[in-house]
Amino acid sequence: MNRIAKGIAECGIRVIRFEFPYMAARRSGTRRGAPDRTPVLLTSWRQVIEEVGGEVLIGGKSLGGRIASMVADEAGVRGLVCLGYPFHPPGKPETLRTGHLRDLRTPTLIIQGTRDPFGSPQEVAGYELSPSIRVKWIEDGDHSLRPRASSGRSESQNLAEAVGLVCGFAGQPG
């Protein structure tokens, strides 16, 4: 995320990052284990949006993007970017996390690796997603957009491609 945030900022987009309470506790060594419950995560996002104010684009990686997608319409944000959206838990494609995505009104960009175990191109093609959602695929990327060495692609290439997609979505040259 550091490289993605830096690349987006270099496009002229102001980037503000935050940690959910469980991540801050993990980093400080005071907690281990599962993420906070959904209400805590939603409250965290709402607080950040309120503090930043104005017309904002929100987003996040994996769980952060999923929770951002759950508050985007309510908060009236300008747009939403999800990197590595967790459409389902790995190995459990029947346990979808897409119900709220059918009616999402916020313009949304989901950037997904073609090898992401949380949602492959074949799986996602069958989901009922809102017309406001665009899904862009990063070739041979995993959940963190890392390619296999045998693919001929580098992690830097994949991350640069993702940054370019985000900057284009935000209306900034990338």
Side-chain angles (χ1 to χ4, degrees), residues 133-163:
I133 298 174
R134 290 186 292 175
V135 180
K136 297 292 185 177
W137 296 96
I138 302 292
E139 189 59 40
D140 204 61
D142 64 9
H143 192 58
S144 295
L145 306 179
R146 278 185 226 105
R148 295 171 291 199
S150 63
S151 73
R153 293 183 62 91
S154 70
E155 182 178 11
S156 292
Q157 283 176 303
N158 281 5
L159 295 180
E161 185 177 340
V163 166

Side-chain angles (χ1 to χ4, degrees), residues 4 8 60-62 80-87 108-114 116 119 133-139 141-145 158-169:
I4 294 279
I8 293 169
K61 167 80 176 90
S62 196
L80 168 67
V81 174
C82 301
L83 301 165
Y85 188 88
F87 289 100
T108 300
L109 173 64
I110 296 176
I111 300 173
Q112 198 84 353
T114 58
D116 193 327
I133 298 174
R134 290 186 292 175
V135 180
K136 297 292 185 177
W137 296 96
I138 302 292
E139 189 59 40
D142 64 9
H143 192 58
S144 295
L145 306 179
N158 281 5
L159 295 180
E161 185 177 340
V163 166
L165 289 167
V166 172
C167 293
F169 178 74

Side-chain angles (χ1 to χ4, degrees), residues 38-52:
T38 300
V40 173
L41 301 173
L42 291 169
T43 296
S44 296
W45 254 120
R46 289 178 184 120
Q47 288 172 339
V48 169
I49 293 167
E50 185 177 321
E51 287 172 21
V52 173

Side-chain angles (χ1 to χ4, degrees), residues 83-104:
L83 301 165
Y85 188 88
F87 289 100
H88 61 74
K92 297 183 179 181
E94 69 283 354
T95 308
L96 292 179
R97 299 170 174 150
T98 59
H100 68 288
L101 298 179
R102 283 186 217 117
D103 300 316
L104 189 68

